[in-house]
Amino acid sequence: MYNDLDRILITSDQIQQRIAQIANTLDNDYADKNPVIVCILKGSTLFFSDLVKNMKIPVVLDFISISSYGKATKSSGEVKMIKDLSESIENRHVIVVEDIVDSGYTISYLVRMLSSRNPASIKICSLLDKPSRRQVEVAPDYCGFEVEDYFVVGYGLDYDEKYRNLPEIGVLKPEVYSGK
Ligand code: PRP
């Protein structure tokens, strides 16, 4: 897999250090709130797992899976639900965990959809933020790293379902994805 990378952008140590800081902030912000932490499958699984392991307050874990209606229409912002949360979030404090906010369509759809269920509060926690690609006005409340417009993979992020299990985040060589 490493042969397909141009370079490592964020090392495993850097990721883990930043996660420890975010977890500490969340512990303080959500003390006594027993928040529901929502993992968006599949990209945020690694971040979600390390984040909750670093948190010291009680939390409830839940999972949701949504998908764009095929790559070609992704820019339209159309998404469909594959798997819903298993618990009600009414009157609960919700933290939605993402791996990356790119165009912003996915997270803004999710926040809109989950807000209609009357949570006590809803915040976005994203490991990566790529503001240069934004199509919708949305910003993570908690963010690990702001990145430039590189094709990043690893630590949950894929290209064609590959590279998700890399412990670091790398920049994919253009020849790997160009011409496909
Ligand atoms: C990726 C990523 C975010 C979304 C960000 O998910 O995990 O959920 O795209 O892009 P956006 O801000 O432009 O909407 P993807 O649909 O590729 O599914 P995955 O998490 O299973 O990789």
Side-chain angles (χ1 to χ4, degrees):
M1 288 192 287
Y2 288 102
N3 287 340
D4 294 343
L5 299 185
D6 203 25
R7 65 187 188 283
I8 302 293
L9 190 64
I10 310 172
T11 66
S12 178
D13 281 352
Q14 288 173 318
I15 293 171
Q16 296 305 324
Q17 279 176 22
R18 187 73 187 107
I19 288 175
Q21 292 171 343
I22 297 171
N24 190 253
T25 304
L26 292 173
D27 280 345
N28 290 325
D29 290 358
Y30 288 87
D32 305 318
K33 287 187 173 162
N34 193 21
V36 180
I37 320 252
V38 174
C39 176
I40 307 173
L41 301 170
K42 305 173 191 170
S44 74
T45 45
L46 277 73
F47 176 42
F48 175 85
S49 168
D50 283 335
L51 183 68
V52 297
K53 273 190 284 182
N54 274 270
M55 291 178 72
K56 295 181 175 58
I57 60 168
V59 297
V60 170
L61 310 185
D62 211 339
F63 299 82
I64 196 165
S65 180
I66 58 170
S67 167
S68 51
Y69 283 105
K71 286 198 167 84
T73 59
K74 181 148 192 173
S75 60
S76 71
E78 283 184 85
V79 287
K80 66 176 173 179
M81 176 86 71
I82 309 281
K83 182 216 167 294
D84 203 345
L85 298 175
S86 53
E87 308 282 337
S88 166
I89 55 166
E90 190 169 2
N91 297 322
R92 303 297 304 265
H93 293 279
V94 177
I95 304 168
V96 183
V97 176
E98 257 293 24
D99 54 343
I100 186 165
V101 179
D102 194 309
S103 69
Y105 283 125
T106 305
I107 197 67
S108 56
Y109 165 82
L110 260 174
V111 167
R112 207 166 48 244
M113 193 262 290
L114 296 178
S115 296
S116 70
R117 301 179 185 182
N118 300 317
S121 69
I122 182 161
K123 300 274 188 193
I124 303 163
C125 177
S126 184
L127 181 65
L128 304 181
D129 185 15
K130 225 191 237 185
S132 60
R133 297 255 307 169
R134 203 72 94 248
Q135 298 290 320
V136 207
E137 201 178 319
V138 64
D141 301 285
Y142 304 91
C143 175
F145 304 90
E146 194 173 299
V147 293
E148 290 178 42
D149 191 13
Y150 304 123
F151 198 132
V152 284
V153 294
Y155 199 70
L157 293 126
D158 74 311
Y159 170 64
D160 215 8
E161 294 301 325
K162 204 173 164 189
Y163 315 107
R164 289 197 201 271
N165 58 321
L166 290 174
E168 53 275 288
I169 290 169
V171 178
L172 199 59
K173 284 180 181 166
E175 58 259 40
V176 178
Y177 57 87
S178 58
K180 287 200 177 180

mmCIF file of all heavy atoms in Angstrom, residues 15-59:
data_model
loop_
_atom_site.group_PDB
_atom_site.id
_atom_site.type_symbol
_atom_site.label_atom_id
_atom_site.label_comp_id
_atom_site.label_asym_id
_atom_site.label_seq_id
_atom_site.Cartn_x
_atom_site.Cartn_y
_atom_site.Cartn_z
ATOM 1 N N ILE A 15 -1.504 11.908 14.801
ATOM 2 C CA ILE A 15 -2.941 11.633 14.901
ATOM 3 C C ILE A 15 -3.311 11.316 16.348
ATOM 4 O O ILE A 15 -4.263 11.882 16.902
ATOM 5 C CB ILE A 15 -3.341 10.457 13.974
ATOM 6 C CG1 ILE A 15 -3.176 10.840 12.507
ATOM 7 C CG2 ILE A 15 -4.782 10.020 14.250
ATOM 8 C CD1 ILE A 15 -3.337 9.674 11.533
ATOM 9 N N GLN A 16 -2.533 10.428 16.965
ATOM 10 C CA GLN A 16 -2.873 10.000 18.330
ATOM 11 C C GLN A 16 -2.751 11.147 19.337
ATOM 12 O O GLN A 16 -3.574 11.262 20.247
ATOM 13 C CB GLN A 16 -1.987 8.818 18.751
ATOM 14 C CG GLN A 16 -2.212 7.559 17.916
ATOM 15 C CD GLN A 16 -3.668 7.080 17.891
ATOM 16 O OE1 GLN A 16 -4.387 7.177 18.886
ATOM 17 N NE2 GLN A 16 -4.127 6.576 16.760
ATOM 18 N N GLN A 17 -1.746 11.995 19.144
ATOM 19 C CA GLN A 17 -1.596 13.147 20.055
ATOM 20 C C GLN A 17 -2.782 14.095 19.933
ATOM 21 O O GLN A 17 -3.307 14.595 20.927
ATOM 22 C CB GLN A 17 -0.309 13.910 19.731
ATOM 23 C CG GLN A 17 0.925 13.271 20.338
ATOM 24 C CD GLN A 17 2.204 13.982 19.919
ATOM 25 O OE1 GLN A 17 2.182 15.148 19.529
ATOM 26 N NE2 GLN A 17 3.313 13.274 19.987
ATOM 27 N N ARG A 18 -3.189 14.344 18.707
ATOM 28 C CA ARG A 18 -4.309 15.276 18.482
ATOM 29 C C ARG A 18 -5.612 14.680 19.033
ATOM 30 O O ARG A 18 -6.439 15.402 19.613
ATOM 31 C CB ARG A 18 -4.434 15.552 16.977
ATOM 32 C CG ARG A 18 -5.439 16.605 16.632
ATOM 33 C CD ARG A 18 -4.945 18.005 16.988
ATOM 34 N NE ARG A 18 -6.015 18.979 16.796
ATOM 35 C CZ ARG A 18 -6.670 19.573 17.783
ATOM 36 N NH1 ARG A 18 -6.362 19.334 19.043
ATOM 37 N NH2 ARG A 18 -7.631 20.432 17.518
ATOM 38 N N ILE A 19 -5.783 13.379 18.847
ATOM 39 C CA ILE A 19 -6.995 12.732 19.357
ATOM 40 C C ILE A 19 -7.059 12.841 20.883
ATOM 41 O O ILE A 19 -8.133 13.096 21.443
ATOM 42 C CB ILE A 19 -7.058 11.259 18.896
ATOM 43 C CG1 ILE A 19 -7.358 11.207 17.401
ATOM 44 C CG2 ILE A 19 -8.117 10.480 19.678
ATOM 45 C CD1 ILE A 19 -7.333 9.821 16.799
ATOM 46 N N ALA A 20 -5.934 12.667 21.537
ATOM 47 C CA ALA A 20 -5.914 12.780 23.001
ATOM 48 C C ALA A 20 -6.364 14.179 23.432
ATOM 49 O O ALA A 20 -7.110 14.334 24.409
ATOM 50 C CB ALA A 20 -4.509 12.477 23.524
ATOM 51 N N GLN A 21 -5.941 15.199 22.675
ATOM 52 C CA GLN A 21 -6.350 16.581 22.997
ATOM 53 C C GLN A 21 -7.852 16.766 22.787
ATOM 54 O O GLN A 21 -8.537 17.356 23.626
ATOM 55 C CB GLN A 21 -5.595 17.582 22.103
ATOM 56 C CG GLN A 21 -4.108 17.662 22.387
ATOM 57 C CD GLN A 21 -3.368 18.491 21.325
ATOM 58 O OE1 GLN A 21 -3.885 18.751 20.234
ATOM 59 N NE2 GLN A 21 -2.151 18.890 21.648
ATOM 60 N N ILE A 22 -8.348 16.272 21.657
ATOM 61 C CA ILE A 22 -9.786 16.427 21.374
ATOM 62 C C ILE A 22 -10.612 15.680 22.422
ATOM 63 O O ILE A 22 -11.624 16.199 22.913
ATOM 64 C CB ILE A 22 -10.131 15.917 19.951
ATOM 65 C CG1 ILE A 22 -9.406 16.750 18.893
ATOM 66 C CG2 ILE A 22 -11.634 15.968 19.703
ATOM 67 C CD1 ILE A 22 -9.522 16.192 17.479
ATOM 68 N N ALA A 23 -10.181 14.478 22.769
ATOM 69 C CA ALA A 23 -10.909 13.686 23.777
ATOM 70 C C ALA A 23 -10.966 14.432 25.096
ATOM 71 O O ALA A 23 -12.002 14.463 25.773
ATOM 72 C CB ALA A 23 -10.226 12.328 23.947
ATOM 73 N N ASN A 24 -9.866 15.074 25.448
ATOM 74 C CA ASN A 24 -9.812 15.841 26.694
ATOM 75 C C ASN A 24 -10.794 17.019 26.656
ATOM 76 O O ASN A 24 -11.508 17.293 27.631
ATOM 77 C CB ASN A 24 -8.377 16.332 26.898
ATOM 78 C CG ASN A 24 -8.176 16.911 28.270
ATOM 79 O OD1 ASN A 24 -8.060 18.111 28.423
ATOM 80 N ND2 ASN A 24 -8.186 16.056 29.274
ATOM 81 N N THR A 25 -10.844 17.699 25.514
ATOM 82 C CA THR A 25 -11.782 18.816 25.341
ATOM 83 C C THR A 25 -13.225 18.318 25.453
ATOM 84 O O THR A 25 -14.062 18.936 26.135
ATOM 85 C CB THR A 25 -11.581 19.466 23.951
ATOM 86 O OG1 THR A 25 -10.215 19.860 23.838
ATOM 87 C CG2 THR A 25 -12.470 20.690 23.771
ATOM 88 N N LEU A 26 -13.507 17.186 24.808
ATOM 89 C CA LEU A 26 -14.869 16.630 24.860
ATOM 90 C C LEU A 26 -15.221 16.204 26.286
ATOM 91 O O LEU A 26 -16.358 16.402 26.742
ATOM 92 C CB LEU A 26 -15.000 15.443 23.896
ATOM 93 C CG LEU A 26 -14.926 15.786 22.403
ATOM 94 C CD1 LEU A 26 -14.901 14.512 21.555
ATOM 95 C CD2 LEU A 26 -16.108 16.661 21.977
ATOM 96 N N ASP A 27 -14.254 15.622 26.998
ATOM 97 C CA ASP A 27 -14.497 15.241 28.402
ATOM 98 C C ASP A 27 -14.946 16.456 29.215
ATOM 99 O O ASP A 27 -15.858 16.362 30.040
ATOM 100 C CB ASP A 27 -13.214 14.679 29.027
ATOM 101 C CG ASP A 27 -12.975 13.226 28.655
ATOM 102 O OD1 ASP A 27 -13.910 12.573 28.155
ATOM 103 O OD2 ASP A 27 -11.845 12.756 28.864
ATOM 104 N N ASN A 28 -14.290 17.581 28.964
ATOM 105 C CA ASN A 28 -14.645 18.802 29.701
ATOM 106 C C ASN A 28 -15.990 19.357 29.241
ATOM 107 O O ASN A 28 -16.836 19.726 30.072
ATOM 108 C CB ASN A 28 -13.560 19.872 29.505
ATOM 109 C CG ASN A 28 -12.284 19.501 30.217
ATOM 110 O OD1 ASN A 28 -12.323 18.910 31.294
ATOM 111 N ND2 ASN A 28 -11.150 19.808 29.619
ATOM 112 N N ASP A 29 -16.197 19.395 27.924
ATOM 113 C CA ASP A 29 -17.424 20.004 27.391
ATOM 114 C C ASP A 29 -18.674 19.157 27.679
ATOM 115 O O ASP A 29 -19.782 19.687 27.737
ATOM 116 C CB ASP A 29 -17.307 20.203 25.873
ATOM 117 C CG ASP A 29 -16.303 21.288 25.515
ATOM 118 O OD1 ASP A 29 -15.738 21.902 26.437
ATOM 119 O OD2 ASP A 29 -16.074 21.506 24.313
ATOM 120 N N TYR A 30 -18.481 17.842 27.816
ATOM 121 C CA TYR A 30 -19.639 16.943 27.969
ATOM 122 C C TYR A 30 -19.671 16.228 29.322
ATOM 123 O O TYR A 30 -20.356 15.219 29.473
ATOM 124 C CB TYR A 30 -19.675 15.924 26.828
ATOM 125 C CG TYR A 30 -20.069 16.560 25.521
ATOM 126 C CD1 TYR A 30 -19.116 17.137 24.691
ATOM 127 C CD2 TYR A 30 -21.397 16.626 25.121
ATOM 128 C CE1 TYR A 30 -19.463 17.753 23.492
ATOM 129 C CE2 TYR A 30 -21.766 17.230 23.928
ATOM 130 C CZ TYR A 30 -20.786 17.790 23.121
ATOM 131 O OH TYR A 30 -21.155 18.400 21.947
ATOM 132 N N ALA A 31 -18.949 16.765 30.301
ATOM 133 C CA ALA A 31 -18.985 16.167 31.641
ATOM 134 C C ALA A 31 -20.431 16.140 32.113
ATOM 135 O O ALA A 31 -21.154 17.135 31.980
ATOM 136 C CB ALA A 31 -18.116 16.982 32.586
ATOM 137 N N ASP A 32 -20.891 15.017 32.635
ATOM 138 C CA ASP A 32 -22.264 14.826 33.159
ATOM 139 C C ASP A 32 -23.351 14.896 32.081
ATOM 140 O O ASP A 32 -24.528 14.982 32.405
ATOM 141 C CB ASP A 32 -22.587 15.852 34.266
ATOM 142 C CG ASP A 32 -21.569 15.808 35.386
ATOM 143 O OD1 ASP A 32 -21.189 14.695 35.777
ATOM 144 O OD2 ASP A 32 -21.153 16.895 35.860
ATOM 145 N N LYS A 33 -22.981 14.878 30.816
ATOM 146 C CA LYS A 33 -24.005 14.946 29.749
ATOM 147 C C LYS A 33 -24.262 13.592 29.083
ATOM 148 O O LYS A 33 -25.186 13.461 28.289
ATOM 149 C CB LYS A 33 -23.589 15.977 28.687
ATOM 150 C CG LYS A 33 -23.748 17.412 29.189
ATOM 151 C CD LYS A 33 -23.500 18.418 28.091
ATOM 152 C CE LYS A 33 -23.839 19.823 28.573
ATOM 153 N NZ LYS A 33 -23.225 20.850 27.730
ATOM 154 N N ASN A 34 -23.442 12.603 29.363
ATOM 155 C CA ASN A 34 -23.586 11.260 28.786
ATOM 156 C C ASN A 34 -23.937 11.337 27.281
ATOM 157 O O ASN A 34 -24.996 10.872 26.853
ATOM 158 C CB ASN A 34 -24.672 10.485 29.557
ATOM 159 C CG ASN A 34 -24.658 9.003 29.225
ATOM 160 O OD1 ASN A 34 -23.654 8.474 28.750
ATOM 161 N ND2 ASN A 34 -25.775 8.331 29.445
ATOM 162 N N PRO A 35 -23.053 11.924 26.488
ATOM 163 C CA PRO A 35 -23.386 12.155 25.078
ATOM 164 C C PRO A 35 -23.489 10.863 24.262
ATOM 165 O O PRO A 35 -22.910 9.840 24.618
ATOM 166 C CB PRO A 35 -22.197 12.997 24.577
ATOM 167 C CG PRO A 35 -21.066 12.609 25.459
ATOM 168 C CD PRO A 35 -21.672 12.356 26.812
ATOM 169 N N VAL A 36 -24.243 10.960 23.165
ATOM 170 C CA VAL A 36 -24.297 9.881 22.173
ATOM 171 C C VAL A 36 -23.265 10.214 21.103
ATOM 172 O O VAL A 36 -23.333 11.270 20.466
ATOM 173 C CB VAL A 36 -25.693 9.783 21.516
ATOM 174 C CG1 VAL A 36 -25.711 8.649 20.488
ATOM 175 C CG2 VAL A 36 -26.775 9.578 22.566
ATOM 176 N N ILE A 37 -22.289 9.328 20.944
ATOM 177 C CA ILE A 37 -21.241 9.565 19.945
ATOM 178 C C ILE A 37 -21.593 8.730 18.719
ATOM 179 O O ILE A 37 -21.704 7.504 18.803
ATOM 180 C CB ILE A 37 -19.859 9.144 20.461
ATOM 181 C CG1 ILE A 37 -19.717 9.528 21.930
ATOM 182 C CG2 ILE A 37 -18.760 9.748 19.590
ATOM 183 C CD1 ILE A 37 -18.836 10.642 22.242
ATOM 184 N N VAL A 38 -21.774 9.407 17.595
ATOM 185 C CA VAL A 38 -22.243 8.726 16.384
ATOM 186 C C VAL A 38 -21.094 8.529 15.402
ATOM 187 O O VAL A 38 -20.440 9.490 14.977
ATOM 188 C CB VAL A 38 -23.374 9.544 15.708
ATOM 189 C CG1 VAL A 38 -23.758 8.913 14.364
ATOM 190 C CG2 VAL A 38 -24.587 9.644 16.620
ATOM 191 N N CYS A 39 -20.856 7.272 15.064
ATOM 192 C CA CYS A 39 -19.832 6.914 14.066
ATOM 193 C C CYS A 39 -20.499 6.816 12.696
ATOM 194 O O CYS A 39 -21.479 6.084 12.525
ATOM 195 C CB CYS A 39 -19.221 5.565 14.445
ATOM 196 S SG CYS A 39 -18.037 4.927 13.254
ATOM 197 N N ILE A 40 -19.974 7.548 11.730
ATOM 198 C CA ILE A 40 -20.501 7.449 10.369
ATOM 199 C C ILE A 40 -19.651 6.424 9.612
ATOM 200 O O ILE A 40 -18.467 6.640 9.362
ATOM 201 C CB ILE A 40 -20.454 8.814 9.650
ATOM 202 C CG1 ILE A 40 -21.141 9.891 10.502
ATOM 203 C CG2 ILE A 40 -21.108 8.709 8.284
ATOM 204 C CD1 ILE A 40 -20.978 11.281 9.946
ATOM 205 N N LEU A 41 -20.266 5.313 9.283
ATOM 206 C CA LEU A 41 -19.556 4.238 8.580
ATOM 207 C C LEU A 41 -19.283 4.645 7.132
ATOM 208 O O LEU A 41 -20.098 5.366 6.552
ATOM 209 C CB LEU A 41 -20.405 2.966 8.613
ATOM 210 C CG LEU A 41 -20.738 2.452 10.032
ATOM 211 C CD1 LEU A 41 -21.769 1.339 9.959
ATOM 212 C CD2 LEU A 41 -19.486 1.987 10.749
ATOM 213 N N LYS A 42 -18.166 4.212 6.496
ATOM 214 C CA LYS A 42 -17.164 3.451 7.197
ATOM 215 C C LYS A 42 -15.961 4.317 7.587
ATOM 216 O O LYS A 42 -15.159 3.933 8.424
ATOM 217 C CB LYS A 42 -16.621 2.335 6.269
ATOM 218 C CG LYS A 42 -17.617 1.412 5.672
ATOM 219 C CD LYS A 42 -16.906 0.491 4.646
ATOM 220 C CE LYS A 42 -17.907 -0.253 3.832
ATOM 221 N NZ LYS A 42 -17.262 -0.947 2.687
ATOM 222 N N GLY A 43 -15.835 5.457 6.932
ATOM 223 C CA GLY A 43 -14.606 6.248 7.032
ATOM 224 C C GLY A 43 -14.183 6.629 8.434
ATOM 225 O O GLY A 43 -12.992 6.708 8.729
ATOM 226 N N SER A 44 -15.152 6.876 9.329
ATOM 227 C CA SER A 44 -14.766 7.413 10.635
ATOM 228 C C SER A 44 -14.503 6.335 11.676
ATOM 229 O O SER A 44 -14.263 6.646 12.841
ATOM 230 C CB SER A 44 -15.807 8.416 11.135
ATOM 231 O OG SER A 44 -16.959 7.760 11.568
ATOM 232 N N THR A 45 -14.508 5.063 11.285
ATOM 233 C CA THR A 45 -14.401 3.987 12.285
ATOM 234 C C THR A 45 -13.104 4.043 13.098
ATOM 235 O O THR A 45 -13.131 3.853 14.316
ATOM 236 C CB THR A 45 -14.502 2.602 11.616
ATOM 237 O OG1 THR A 45 -13.694 2.593 10.446
ATOM 238 C CG2 THR A 45 -15.929 2.282 11.219
ATOM 239 N N LEU A 46 -11.980 4.292 12.440
ATOM 240 C CA LEU A 46 -10.709 4.274 13.181
ATOM 241 C C LEU A 46 -10.614 5.472 14.121
ATOM 242 O O LEU A 46 -10.216 5.345 15.283
ATOM 243 C CB LEU A 46 -9.514 4.246 12.209
ATOM 244 C CG LEU A 46 -9.141 2.854 11.674
ATOM 245 C CD1 LEU A 46 -10.141 2.335 10.673
ATOM 246 C CD2 LEU A 46 -7.749 2.857 11.086
ATOM 247 N N PHE A 47 -10.983 6.642 13.618
ATOM 248 C CA PHE A 47 -10.977 7.858 14.430
ATOM 249 C C PHE A 47 -11.939 7.716 15.610
ATOM 250 O O PHE A 47 -11.586 8.009 16.763
ATOM 251 C CB PHE A 47 -11.361 9.049 13.539
ATOM 252 C CG PHE A 47 -11.491 10.361 14.253
ATOM 253 C CD1 PHE A 47 -10.573 10.750 15.220
ATOM 254 C CD2 PHE A 47 -12.536 11.240 13.944
ATOM 255 C CE1 PHE A 47 -10.693 11.985 15.880
ATOM 256 C CE2 PHE A 47 -12.661 12.462 14.589
ATOM 257 C CZ PHE A 47 -11.747 12.828 15.560
ATOM 258 N N PHE A 48 -13.134 7.246 15.333
ATOM 259 C CA PHE A 48 -14.163 7.047 16.353
ATOM 260 C C PHE A 48 -13.636 6.143 17.468
ATOM 261 O O PHE A 48 -13.744 6.450 18.651
ATOM 262 C CB PHE A 48 -15.380 6.420 15.673
ATOM 263 C CG PHE A 48 -16.506 6.020 16.564
ATOM 264 C CD1 PHE A 48 -17.470 6.940 16.952
ATOM 265 C CD2 PHE A 48 -16.632 4.714 16.992
ATOM 266 C CE1 PHE A 48 -18.539 6.558 17.751
ATOM 267 C CE2 PHE A 48 -17.688 4.324 17.786
ATOM 268 C CZ PHE A 48 -18.643 5.246 18.169
ATOM 269 N N SER A 49 -13.045 5.028 17.067
ATOM 270 C CA SER A 49 -12.557 4.049 18.033
ATOM 271 C C SER A 49 -11.471 4.643 18.932
ATOM 272 O O SER A 49 -11.519 4.515 20.155
ATOM 273 C CB SER A 49 -12.029 2.839 17.258
ATOM 274 O OG SER A 49 -11.313 1.995 18.094
ATOM 275 N N ASP A 50 -10.498 5.302 18.338
ATOM 276 C CA ASP A 50 -9.422 5.890 19.145
ATOM 277 C C ASP A 50 -9.939 7.056 19.988
ATOM 278 O O ASP A 50 -9.498 7.254 21.115
ATOM 279 C CB ASP A 50 -8.273 6.361 18.236
ATOM 280 C CG ASP A 50 -7.428 5.181 17.755
ATOM 281 O OD1 ASP A 50 -7.396 4.139 18.440
ATOM 282 O OD2 ASP A 50 -6.803 5.312 16.684
ATOM 283 N N LEU A 51 -10.880 7.813 19.438
ATOM 284 C CA LEU A 51 -11.423 8.960 20.177
ATOM 285 C C LEU A 51 -12.139 8.496 21.448
ATOM 286 O O LEU A 51 -11.857 8.996 22.545
ATOM 287 C CB LEU A 51 -12.389 9.750 19.276
ATOM 288 C CG LEU A 51 -12.988 11.015 19.870
ATOM 289 C CD1 LEU A 51 -11.921 12.092 20.059
ATOM 290 C CD2 LEU A 51 -14.114 11.554 18.977
ATOM 291 N N VAL A 52 -13.048 7.548 21.309
ATOM 292 C CA VAL A 52 -13.820 7.127 22.493
ATOM 293 C C VAL A 52 -12.929 6.402 23.504
ATOM 294 O O VAL A 52 -13.173 6.489 24.709
ATOM 295 C CB VAL A 52 -15.064 6.276 22.133
ATOM 296 C CG1 VAL A 52 -16.031 7.098 21.297
ATOM 297 C CG2 VAL A 52 -14.712 4.983 21.435
ATOM 298 N N LYS A 53 -11.881 5.730 23.021
ATOM 299 C CA LYS A 53 -10.958 5.072 23.957
ATOM 300 C C LYS A 53 -10.214 6.094 24.811
ATOM 301 O O LYS A 53 -9.802 5.802 25.923
ATOM 302 C CB LYS A 53 -9.936 4.229 23.188
ATOM 303 C CG LYS A 53 -10.420 2.827 22.892
ATOM 304 C CD LYS A 53 -9.296 1.974 22.356
ATOM 305 C CE LYS A 53 -8.996 2.316 20.916
ATOM 306 N NZ LYS A 53 -7.937 1.479 20.330
ATOM 307 N N ASN A 54 -10.027 7.286 24.263
ATOM 308 C CA ASN A 54 -9.312 8.338 24.988
ATOM 309 C C ASN A 54 -10.218 9.145 25.906
ATOM 310 O O ASN A 54 -9.730 9.919 26.723
ATOM 311 C CB ASN A 54 -8.632 9.297 24.003
ATOM 312 C CG ASN A 54 -7.262 8.813 23.568
ATOM 313 O OD1 ASN A 54 -6.254 9.124 24.179
ATOM 314 N ND2 ASN A 54 -7.224 8.003 22.528
ATOM 315 N N MET A 55 -11.525 8.990 25.756
ATOM 316 C CA MET A 55 -12.454 9.770 26.588
ATOM 317 C C MET A 55 -12.667 9.066 27.925
ATOM 318 O O MET A 55 -12.682 7.839 27.999
ATOM 319 C CB MET A 55 -13.792 9.968 25.854
ATOM 320 C CG MET A 55 -13.654 10.891 24.654
ATOM 321 S SD MET A 55 -15.190 11.095 23.727
ATOM 322 C CE MET A 55 -16.151 12.101 24.853
ATOM 323 N N LYS A 56 -12.827 9.869 28.960
ATOM 324 C CA LYS A 56 -12.940 9.296 30.307
ATOM 325 C C LYS A 56 -14.346 9.415 30.881
ATOM 326 O O LYS A 56 -14.634 8.855 31.939
ATOM 327 C CB LYS A 56 -11.918 9.957 31.232
ATOM 328 C CG LYS A 56 -10.488 9.642 30.796
ATOM 329 C CD LYS A 56 -9.442 10.243 31.698
ATOM 330 C CE LYS A 56 -8.044 9.808 31.298
ATOM 331 N NZ LYS A 56 -7.690 10.164 29.896
ATOM 332 N N ILE A 57 -15.210 10.149 30.213
ATOM 333 C CA ILE A 57 -16.590 10.294 30.690
ATOM 334 C C ILE A 57 -17.446 9.163 30.094
ATOM 335 O O ILE A 57 -17.086 8.595 29.063
ATOM 336 C CB ILE A 57 -17.186 11.677 30.309
ATOM 337 C CG1 ILE A 57 -17.198 11.859 28.787
ATOM 338 C CG2 ILE A 57 -16.417 12.800 31.000
ATOM 339 C CD1 ILE A 57 -18.003 13.043 28.307
ATOM 340 N N PRO A 58 -18.592 8.850 30.712
ATOM 341 C CA PRO A 58 -19.466 7.828 30.120
ATOM 342 C C PRO A 58 -20.072 8.343 28.818
ATOM 343 O O PRO A 58 -20.480 9.509 28.730
ATOM 344 C CB PRO A 58 -20.573 7.642 31.175
ATOM 345 C CG PRO A 58 -20.124 8.351 32.392
ATOM 346 C CD PRO A 58 -19.134 9.379 31.975
ATOM 347 N N VAL A 59 -20.099 7.486 27.818
ATOM 348 C CA VAL A 59 -20.688 7.845 26.523
ATOM 349 C C VAL A 59 -21.534 6.682 26.012
ATOM 350 O O VAL A 59 -21.355 5.548 26.433
ATOM 351 C CB VAL A 59 -19.615 8.189 25.463
ATOM 352 C CG1 VAL A 59 -18.796 9.405 25.861
ATOM 353 C CG2 VAL A 59 -18.699 7.001 25.209
#
